[in-house]
Amino acid sequence: MEKQNQREQSRMRLNNFIRSLREDIVSGKRQPGEHLPSEKTLSQQYGLSNITIRKGLDKLVSEGLIAKIPRVGNVVIGSSGSPLVTVKLGTHSSVAAEARLEHLLELFHERFPHIRVQTVPISSESYRQLPDYLTGGIADAVMINYTSFQMLMEKGHGDLLAPLEREEDIYPFLSDGFTYDGALLAQPFIFSPLILCYNRQHFAEKNIPEPDGRWQWTDIIANSTRLSEPGERIGFHCDLLSLHRWPLLLLQTGATFERYGDGRIKLAGTAMMEAIRFCRTLIRELPLLSAGVVTGESELLLAQGKASMIMTSYFYLNYLREKSLPFDIAPVPHQGMPGTLLLSTGLAVNSRSPVKEAAVQLVKFLISHSSQLIIRQHTYSLPARITAAEWSGRETLYRPSRFALFRETIPESRYFSALRIRASELAAIHQEAKLYWAGLESEEAFCKRVEQMPVPPGQHWSPMDF
């Protein structure tokens, strides 16, 4: 592991060296005909060996930016003549590892040396930042998850995103999710259904059959008790109270939110309330479920042998990379009606960006077959492009035997909006439900507070609008 980390650090320093010289040349800081410092000087300047420096220079030669002249040295030829353009890409920190983003951007720089990509961190949890990032010129392109996209549309900010061309080789249900008023406003990038992940060895030790699509939540409760070892491990762990987890229980009812004539939500006595009540039951039956779990915490517990089962996504399976763990995956448990929650991340272009054309070029590159195939081959994340996601060949990392499970669950995977509820409403219910789940509010009071939630201004819809 230590040697691998050293190799990774060396590769990053090499890439930084190449990127620095490339930008100097493309920007005109180093003019055609200019001689570069000697390899020894560059080695001292960048803290790299002569051999590594030579590799970097060979790369710039292959890009046509410099020439190696015998007995003279390395001379700048110049760029393609295109002016240097900087595209600011708003990114979620977790996606860097989930989609090998840094590597993909390196490849983009090689192919388009006149376009420099500057990553700008944005939170995947708060859509409120997005309008400011787009109108303030902070980002020319942004990563946006489905929930944030829906909130952006609800607030009437669809004009901030540039329409994009629909790709035939991208799963249609993903493109549909980022389509508004007939226009595709974000290109699907990666996606995942919620899944169950488990330690196969723990199941073998306890002589418990491994979970499959027949498992219900009652099976999770019963087998969690059998798998747990006091002071050593717990049977099941997940952040059930996350907005990207508990709506699963609502979807598994097969029902939708009911409404009063004026559009307000009706909750008391409905299937949705039954599901919310069952969520409280799970919290009580599985007391080691955690609220506010740190990203990757469940996966770390599984990797350490401290948990036998977790509910997770293909995205978060990346936290199990390079871990010596005999894990596999299965469909999430249900209550008699199989179904799972669909998560997806897209790439959108700022319609007001002064470098919109370059931003579109970046998005096209990241959803290209070659880029999406890199995601499939080197991560556990699911690329949005069909031919990449369903690629089969020699694997570069351990794959659970049921990795292709996502193909089977696609027909029963649903966005939260299948509940016929808006993202802002679900977020509001989420905040109210926390008190109910904690036993700090009665069911009657909870339902009353939800049903009294005002219809958002300018959105006085009727039930027929959904």
Side-chain angles (χ1 to χ4, degrees):
M1 181 64 71
E2 184 177 351
K3 289 183 178 179
Q4 184 169 351
N5 290 336
Q6 290 175 348
R7 287 196 299 270
E8 184 68 18
Q9 292 174 3
S10 178
R11 184 182 67 81
M12 290 178 63
R13 289 199 301 270
L14 170 59
N15 289 332
N16 289 335
F17 163 65
I18 295 172
R19 187 182 304 116
S20 177
L21 274 186
R22 182 190 292 126
E23 291 180 1
D24 284 351
I25 296 170
V26 173
S27 66
K29 186 175 180 180
R30 293 185 182 274
Q31 294 292 315
E34 179 181 341
H35 289 71
L36 294 181
S38 67
E39 292 180 1
K40 181 178 180 181
T41 300
L42 291 172
S43 174
Q44 295 172 345
Q45 181 179 346
Y46 289 93
L48 297 168
S49 67
N50 286 351
I51 294 176
T52 303
I53 289 294
R54 203 166 295 130
K55 287 181 180 178
L57 294 173
D58 287 342
K59 180 61 180 173
L60 294 175
V61 169
S62 68
E63 294 178 12
L65 296 177
I66 67 173
K68 285 192 172 185
I69 302 177
R71 296 183 296 279
V72 174
N74 299 291
V75 179
V76 174
I77 296 177
S79 67
S80 60
S82 301
L84 180 65
V85 175
T86 298
V87 173
K88 290 168 286 187
L89 174 64
T91 62
H92 304 157
S93 58
S94 62
V95 178
E98 292 168 7
R100 293 205 72 189
L101 184 62
E102 182 179 334
H103 178 61
L104 293 179
L105 293 182
E106 290 170 3
L107 296 178
F108 179 77
H109 288 144
E110 292 177 10
R111 184 169 178 183
F112 302 97
H114 67 287
I115 304 177
R116 184 169 70 95
V117 179
Q118 175 186 348
T119 56
V120 180
I122 58 176
S123 171
S124 61
E125 301 300 323
S126 177
Y127 76 95
R128 296 178 184 87
Q129 297 177 344
L130 287 174
D132 293 335
Y133 273 58
L134 296 169
T135 58
I138 300 174
D140 301 297
V142 293
M143 287 184 175
I144 184 169
N145 63 33
Y146 179 75
T147 302
S148 294
F149 176 80
Q150 291 300 318
M151 287 188 172
L152 202 63
M153 298 303 104
E154 291 172 23
K155 296 299 181 180
H157 293 309
D159 64 315
L160 296 179
L161 305 182
L164 302 170
E165 294 183 9
R166 195 175 178 109
E167 297 271 345
E168 290 186 3
D169 190 34
I170 286 180
Y171 287 105
F173 63 89
L174 297 178
S175 295
D176 291 344
F178 290 112
T179 297
Y180 186 77
D181 279 349
L184 179 70
L185 299 182
Q187 285 287 7
F189 183 48
I190 54 177
F191 76 101
S192 176
L194 289 186
I195 53 175
L196 190 70
C197 183
Y198 59 95
N199 186 318
R200 302 186 69 183
Q201 185 175 330
H202 289 181
F203 276 76
E205 290 172 358
K206 297 291 185 176
N207 196 30
I208 300 174
E210 294 183 15
D212 55 32
R214 295 169 296 180
W215 270 44
Q216 299 192 23
W217 283 103
T218 51
D219 296 305
I220 288 288
I221 294 171
N223 288 300
S224 176
T225 301
R226 294 177 62 190
L227 288 163
S228 65
E229 293 285 351
E232 181 179 338
R233 71 180 186 231
I234 57 178
F236 182 72
H237 187 273
C238 82
D239 184 10
L240 185 65
L241 304 191
S242 164
L243 192 55
H244 300 297
R245 296 291 184 269
W246 72 267
L248 165 70
L249 300 177
L250 307 184
L251 287 167
Q252 289 181 338
T253 66
T256 59
F257 276 92
E258 298 179 29
R259 293 182 181 269
Y260 291 105
D262 60 359
R264 288 183 299 110
I265 293 172
K266 179 181 179 182
L267 192 58
T270 68
M272 293 298 99
M273 187 59 229
E274 289 182 20
I276 294 173
R277 188 185 306 121
F278 182 66
C279 186
R280 186 176 66 172
T281 299
L282 285 180
I283 293 170
R284 293 175 176 176
E285 294 289 341
L286 298 166
L288 291 174
L289 288 172
S290 300
V293 172
V294 177
T295 299
E297 183 177 330
S298 293
E299 291 70 24
L300 180 60
L301 288 173
L302 188 78
Q304 294 175 334
K306 300 298 183 181
S308 298
M309 298 181 287
I310 62 174
M311 185 164 68
T312 185
S313 67
Y314 279 83
F315 304 145
Y316 283 6
L317 288 181
N318 288 293
Y319 287 96
L320 299 177
R321 288 179 58 187
E322 301 174 3
K323 305 289 186 183
S324 56
L325 172 71
F327 74 90
D328 213 326
I329 60 176
V332 289
H334 53 85
Q335 300 181 67
M337 182 177 294
T340 189
L341 179 63
L342 179 62
L343 310 173
S344 65
T345 297
L347 297 165
V349 173
N350 184 348
S351 63
R352 304 182 183 186
S353 168
V355 293
K356 185 165 62 174
E357 186 176 326
V360 170
Q361 190 68 63
L362 172 62
V363 170
K364 286 183 177 179
F365 178 83
L366 292 175
I367 65 164
S368 67
H369 178 75
S370 59
S371 295
Q372 295 270 292
L373 192 58
I374 287 173
I375 295 173
R376 167 60 181 82
Q377 293 175 337
H378 299 281
T379 77
Y380 288 123
S381 299
L382 300 174
R385 191 169 287 275
I386 301 171
T387 51
E390 300 185 7
W391 170 86
S392 62
R394 184 175 182 180
E395 299 287 359
T396 60
L397 70 163
Y398 167 79
R399 297 278 170 183
S401 66
R402 303 182 195 177
F403 184 80
L405 173 70
F406 72 92
R407 296 181 63 184
E408 303 169 23
T409 60
I410 281 177
E412 57 197 42
S413 299
R414 298 288 185 273
Y415 290 117
F416 75 85
S417 53
L419 296 167
R420 297 168 75 86
I421 189 172
R422 286 173 167 78
S424 55
E425 293 176 313
L426 186 62
I429 293 175
H430 177 67
Q431 292 303 317
E432 295 291 347
K434 288 180 180 179
L435 293 175
Y436 169 67
W437 289 327
L440 300 177
E441 190 171 65
S442 68
E443 182 172 319
E444 181 181 1
F446 167 62
C447 289
K448 184 176 181 179
R449 289 174 68 87
V450 170
E451 294 182 350
Q452 288 179 342
M453 289 192 315
V455 176
Q459 297 187 18
H460 291 278
W461 56 80
S462 71
M464 294 300 294
D465 292 329
F466 286 85

